[in-house]
Amino acid sequence: MPREAVTACRICAGNCSLRLTLDDAGRVVAARGDRDNPLTRGYACIKGAYLHEAHNSAERLLHPLKRQRDGSFVQMPLDVMLAEIAAQLQTLIERHGADAVAAFRGTMNYSNLAANHMLPAFLAALGSNSFFSTMTIDQSAKWVAFERLGGWAAGKDPYALADALLFVGTNPLVSLSTFNFALQNPVKQLHEAKERGLKLVVIDPRETETARHADVFLQVLPGEDPTVLAGLLRIILCRGWHDAEFCARYVKDLRRLARAVEPFTPEYVAQRAGVSVEGLEAAAAAFAEPVREAGGLRRKRGSAASGTGPNMAPHSNLAEHLVECLNVVCGRFARAGDPVPNPGVLAPRYQRRAEVIAPRRSWESGWKSRVGGYGMLFGQKMSGTLAQEITTPGAGQIRALLVDGGNPVNAVPDQRRIADALRQLELLVCIEPFMTNTARLAHYVIPPKLMFERADLHSRDYESYIMFQPYAQYSAAVATPPEGSEVVDDWFVFWDLARRLGKPILFDDVPLDMRAAPSTDELLAILVRHGSISFDELKLYPQGKVYEIEPMIVQPGEPGNTARFDVMPDDVERELADVLNEAGEPPGFTHRLAVRRVRDVQNTMYHHLPAIRRRMPFNPAFVHPDDLAAQGLTEGQCVAIVSPHGRIRAIVKADPALRRGVVSIPHGWGPMPDEEPQTYAGANPNQLLSTSVDLDPINAMPVMSAMPVRIEAID
Ligand SMILES: Nc1nc2c(c(=O)[nH]1)N[C@H]1C(S)=C(S)[C@@H](COP(=O)(O)OP(=O)(O)OC[C@H]3O[C@@H](n4cnc5c(=O)[nH]c(N)nc54)[C@H](O)[C@@H]3O)O[C@H]1N2
Ligand SMILES: Nc1nc2c(c(=O)[nH]1)N[C@H]1C(S)=C(S)[C@@H](COP(=O)(O)OP(=O)(O)OC[C@H]3O[C@@H](n4cnc5c(=O)[nH]c(N)nc54)[C@H](O)[C@@H]3O)O[C@H]1N2
Ligand code: SF4
Ligand SMILES: [Mo]
């Protein structure tokens, strides 16, 4: 008899509740959104609804595999494999020190709470600082901005109180990953918010699914966000729409910001960024112009947020800094007396205070890489330098890499370079359910349990950013792994290697028993031990629940705290001046490449599942139909996309939602560099990017969007 179970999809931050149908063997045969869930109300996307295909896929790896000299793989019992890996790690650490052993956290490590905390605990146990993640090829501009500008301890204006939201290069209705936006059933929640009067400003080269709901939409040229944002700040300051009282109290030197944005007149910005003066002014007004009410003028509430667009384009840290300056000058932060939407179910409850967290600039002190002199950010090294960290001799050279839930060969910019570097490793281990391009280079591939087969909770540390109610959903291991398989929990690999190396693990500050492996539930219980709801109670509600916890109100700042936002430090000022003096496009390039995501897939994942293949067999290069016509190209034609750094073949698709002059290609697809696959597997835009030039000096962020390109017809 088929039976039902409820669990949560953790592919993205939506954490949609899913209703699964299981057969007698404990296999999931169908999944759908759960109408009874109080937050998601039936919402789930295609990725969640076909997650069972990943579990049952004929291509799924079911046994640990070791690569042979000829490149083929043979099965090996896990215990034997872990012993071999541990012995190699031991030798490498003895010879070269612990930093020679690195780990790369991919997105599927983020969506696995126990593994997410075990990976850094493992590196710490070894004494290795070589922690890399996707964050530093994603939106690490957010870390840099926080550390240069400062933060606000009580967080941004709550979504429920927002009059206006401004989104720059983010498409939350597809990506479900934008801060300060309700991610559970986002379409419905946005409709509800608009009904109560929310105004939405979207700045994007594409009229995205989100932009269709915008009150003001600026269809900007990719890469011009610093210009547009400086222009918006200028209008707001000139019109006096900023929160003068807030700025007087919490901003270090507002006049310096005003001076720096002065050259960004509406006319200059409009001409440079390809938007209209009226549009720019309308965007500033929608976001910042005070509301006229019976009692007089009232300042608006609601925040500005960005996504991968500006965080991947040139001057990403500057762009992010200016986005946050919009929030600072308009004072768009939770104030004393505001309710805290989610004081924390899993995370420890702490009093939110209306005060500035001082800038820290942590990268300026501590460890410095022999590669480019980069420091560390939030305990991590920069993934933009990973290839060089592997290939450059000297102290700290990386010789072993453990990849969990990631596929760097397809995800890291400058594909050829990262693939060549991974080939040079003495040891590459992937915890990975499919034979990805990265796994093909690995010495050892260890297949994990998939989402429905393991107990889990949503992110604890980002909880208040992704759930605006005190909500949690404990996902039990509802499905049985395929018969005869040897698949493991990701965290177990790290725990067991540490055990074999005689390195005790401190898991969230709790010493683990290194003789007998804990259960996943035991690890989760440790992680939520300081939360508002006990783990035992969480386990009672696998269908998810909004908990009744004591409400929290934001309190005034500590009287002694004099920290202020540093809105225009020297380096930001210099970079903004550089933007003004920039030359235009290099000769020979007619378009700008823009990053984008698609609903059907997440990054490099699961492209081969039948349901996905039917909908999206490859990733096209999206181009405006008029741009196609101008070059005499037709939809479906194969072209070459050429950048200053590389050339790829792609199939063009007309996208009238794009602005002209833009080529937009979803990332994550494509074969190995130089490989001719049997069937066209899509194009990898990372071959058009470089990790040799134009890396940001703080976080080694490569230019991944707004790269100059041209389209060439080929046979
Ligand atoms: N050109 C370009 N490049 C980009 C981007 C871009 O916009 N443009 N975006 C960047 C961004 S934002 C990111 S986050 C990175 C993503 O970079 P990665 O994290 O490296 O890529 P993913 O495809 O998310 O990797 C997930 C991997 O986990 C595997 N997997 C699936 N399920 C499970 C599971 O249950 N357990 C485990 N252990 N593994 C599983 C998948 O098969 C896949 O190989 O790419 C970056 N690269
Ligand atoms: N369906 C789906 N959801 C996902 C993912 C996925 O692959 N698929 N990936 C997940 C991951 S790893 C991440 S990091 C998040 C990212 O989440 P988002 O940042 O929201 O990612 P996108 O949906 O690609 O939105 C980026 C937008 O930036 C625009 N853009 C490109 N270049 C520029 C520019 O220079 N300036 C401006 N203003 N806009 C620009 C693009 O047109 C696009 O609309 O999404 C997560 N969610
Ligand atoms: S939006 Fe899709 S991928 Fe994200 S959690 Fe929901 S079902 Fe999963
Ligand atoms: Mo990402």
Side-chain angles (χ1 to χ4, degrees):
M1 275 297 286
R3 59 193 168 86
E4 280 215 329
V6 181
T7 191
C9 174
R10 282 95 70 197
I11 291 179
C12 79
N15 285 277
C16 301
S17 184
L18 296 178
R19 213 160 256 281
L20 309 179
T21 310
L22 293 106
D23 68 11
D24 287 338
R27 271 178 8 134
V28 178
V29 292
R32 62 179 198 283
D34 176 15
R35 286 186 189 286
D36 298 333
N37 187 277
L39 260 62
T40 62
R41 296 179 275 177
Y43 182 91
C45 82
I46 171 96
K47 300 186 290 303
Y50 285 93
L51 198 42
H52 60 287
E53 284 196 358
H55 288 67
N56 303 327
S57 169
E59 290 159 85
R60 179 172 170 190
L61 305 178
L62 300 179
H63 297 275
L65 297 173
K66 179 179 182 178
R67 184 155 55 83
Q68 306 294 104
R69 280 182 174 282
D70 66 359
S72 66
F73 285 86
V74 288
Q75 275 186 35
M76 179 180 249
L78 183 68
D79 189 56
V80 180
M81 181 174 286
L82 290 170
E84 279 193 22
I85 296 170
Q88 292 182 39
L89 290 175
Q90 180 80 44
T91 311
L92 287 172
I93 293 171
E94 275 164 15
R95 284 200 194 136
H96 308 289
D99 275 358
V101 177
F104 181 85
R105 166 189 281 172
T107 61
M108 286 301 104
N109 175 277
Y110 287 98
S111 48
N112 182 334
L113 191 62
N116 189 251
H117 289 264
M118 193 65 89
L119 182 154
F122 166 77
L123 287 175
L126 262 53
S128 168
N129 284 312
S130 297
F131 180 11
F132 296 83
S133 84
T134 54
M135 184 59 180
T136 47
I137 46 167
D138 185 342
Q139 296 164 69
S140 57
K142 297 196 161 51
W143 288 350
V144 174
F146 174 77
E147 296 230 320
R148 280 208 286 205
L149 174 68
W152 186 254
K156 301 277 161 54
D157 270 344
Y159 182 73
L161 300 182
D163 300 289
L165 294 176
L166 184 144
F167 290 146
V168 194
T170 182
N171 185 14
L173 293 193
V174 165
S175 67
L176 282 84
S177 84
T178 312
F179 283 156
N180 320 325
F181 186 71
L183 302 176
Q184 287 76 37
N185 203 329
V187 186
K188 204 171 211 144
Q189 294 218 57
L190 178 58
H191 273 297
E192 289 163 356
K194 293 213 74 176
E195 259 164 37
R196 66 162 170 74
L198 174 81
K199 296 281 181 258
L200 184 62
V201 180
V202 173
I203 303 176
D204 201 296
R206 184 172 160 261
E207 190 178 2
T208 59
E209 292 73 2
T210 309
R212 281 179 215 146
H213 299 267
D215 298 277
V216 182
F217 170 48
L218 297 185
Q219 195 160 27
V220 67
L221 200 58
E224 299 302 344
D225 303 292
T227 301
V228 172
L229 294 161
L232 290 174
L233 283 162
R234 186 182 183 279
I235 295 174
I236 290 168
L237 293 172
C238 288
R239 300 268 159 90
W241 291 342
H242 61 294
D243 186 336
E245 205 179 307
F246 182 86
C247 291
R249 178 146 178 213
Y250 296 113
V251 171
K252 190 170 147 198
D253 192 349
L254 186 66
R255 270 176 312 184
R256 196 169 170 195
L257 171 68
R259 264 200 315 277
V261 299
E262 181 51 35
F264 293 85
T265 62
E267 294 69 27
Y268 172 79
V269 173
Q271 165 268 324
R272 175 163 174 174
V275 296
S276 68
V277 169
E278 300 72 47
L280 197 67
E281 288 183 340
F287 183 67
E289 187 176 15
V291 202
R292 198 166 290 284
E293 278 180 351
L297 289 180
R298 174 177 72 78
R299 68 178 188 88
K300 281 197 185 116
R301 305 207 62 177
S303 52
S306 73
T308 51
N311 282 191
M312 291 185 172
H315 306 294
S316 48
N317 292 324
L318 171 65
E320 185 62 26
H321 190 91
L322 297 175
V323 170
E324 288 302 338
C325 279
L326 281 173
N327 290 319
V328 169
V329 303
C330 298
R332 298 303 173 79
F333 299 107
R335 305 295 183 90
D338 279 345
V340 176
N342 183 2
V345 178
L346 310 185
R349 189 185 168 91
Y350 67 93
Q351 182 57 58
R352 289 356 181 237
R353 291 195 176 276
E355 63 188 359
V356 174
I357 304 168
R360 280 186 307 191
R361 293 180 168 262
S362 63
W363 61 87
E364 290 181 351
S365 51
W367 180 86
K368 286 275 185 299
S369 174
R370 72 198 182 295
V371 172
Y374 293 100
M376 291 176 74
L377 259 180
F378 284 67
Q380 299 192 18
K381 295 184 179 176
M382 306 302 123
S383 293
T385 67
L386 176 58
Q388 267 181 292
E389 292 284 5
I390 295 169
T391 56
T392 311
Q397 181 177 11
I398 288 165
R399 294 160 193 274
L401 181 67
L402 282 73
V403 177
D404 186 26
N407 183 6
V409 169
N410 275 44
V412 172
D414 213 336
Q415 189 191 24
R416 201 176 304 266
R417 193 175 199 205
I418 189 71
D420 285 347
L422 296 184
R423 285 194 183 95
Q424 289 181 37
L425 285 166
E426 288 173 47
L427 176 64
L428 175 59
V429 180
C430 288
I431 309 174
E432 171 57 59
F434 291 99
M435 194 45 85
T436 60
N437 284 338
T438 307
R440 286 163 67 193
L441 301 183
H443 300 96
Y444 299 96
V445 185
I446 302 175
K449 289 181 187 166
L450 292 187
M451 220 165 262
F452 299 154
E453 298 159 355
R454 53 182 165 78
D456 209 347
L457 285 162
H458 59 75
S459 167
R460 180 194 68 181
D461 300 342
Y462 286 101
E463 176 178 55
S464 61
Y465 297 96
I466 59 174
M467 311 277 180
F468 298 159
Q469 292 185 56
Y471 169 87
Q473 182 171 20
Y474 167 79
S475 300
V478 287
T480 315
E483 209 185 329
S485 64
E486 190 175 19
V487 291
V488 287
D489 279 295
D490 301 48
W491 62 259
F492 176 79
V493 175
F494 296 109
W495 177 86
D496 192 65
L497 289 174
R499 174 184 72 84
R500 288 171 194 267
L501 291 164
K503 306 283 186 190
I505 283 198
L506 262 186
F507 185 77
D508 199 42
D509 298 329
V510 174
L512 293 184
D513 179 351
M514 296 308 289
R515 287 156 306 175
S519 68
T520 304
D521 272 356
E522 282 164 353
L523 296 173
L524 296 175
I526 290 175
L527 294 172
V528 303
R529 69 194 184 284
H530 299 308
S532 298
I533 302 294
S534 74
F535 183 64
D536 289 337
E537 189 174 349
L538 291 171
K539 280 189 72 169
L540 297 177
Y541 300 99
Q543 70 277 33
K545 181 177 157 93
V546 178
Y547 289 91
E548 279 184 29
I549 62 175
E550 201 193 322
M552 185 188 281
I553 300 294
V554 177
Q555 296 297 314
E558 298 281 4
N561 183 355
T562 55
R564 284 167 176 254
F565 288 109
D566 195 355
V567 285
M568 203 34 70
D570 292 344
D571 45 0
V572 176
E573 187 174 50
R574 271 197 306 274
E575 194 174 350
L576 190 56
D578 289 346
V579 167
L580 263 186
N581 297 322
E582 258 167 0
E585 229 67 71
F589 297 99
T590 49
H591 288 66
R592 288 187 188 181
L593 180 73
V595 290
R596 70 162 290 182
R597 275 152 182 72
V598 285
R599 201 182 294 279
D600 311 66
V601 301
Q602 157 113 341
N603 303 329
T604 84
M605 271 171 57
Y606 297 162
H607 300 174
H608 54 276
L609 301 181
I612 307 304
R613 285 207 68 90
R614 277 196 300 276
R615 297 166 63 104
M616 195 172 170
F618 59 87
N619 62 332
F622 294 98
V623 183
H624 191 276
D626 294 347
D627 280 356
L628 289 182
Q631 282 192 249
L633 298 169
T634 46
E635 182 161 281
Q637 192 171 336
C638 188
V639 300
I641 310 282
V642 186
S643 80
H645 312 291
R647 178 190 187 91
I648 57 173
R649 278 186 312 158
I651 293 171
V652 286
K653 190 169 162 62
D655 184 357
L658 269 180
R659 70 168 283 148
R660 290 196 63 179
V662 178
V663 179
S664 172
I665 312 181
H667 67 284
W669 299 72
M672 288 285 213
D674 299 324
E675 185 188 36
E676 288 289 339
Q678 253 128 36
T679 50
Y680 181 65
N684 191 331
N686 283 328
Q687 291 183 15
L688 300 173
L689 311 179
S690 168
T691 53
S692 305
V693 296
D694 296 335
L695 293 188
D696 187 277
I698 295 171
N699 53 352
M701 185 64 188
V703 173
M704 299 165 67
S705 200
M707 174 66 75
V709 291
R710 65 170 174 269
I711 310 169
E712 287 177 3
I714 53 173
D715 294 332

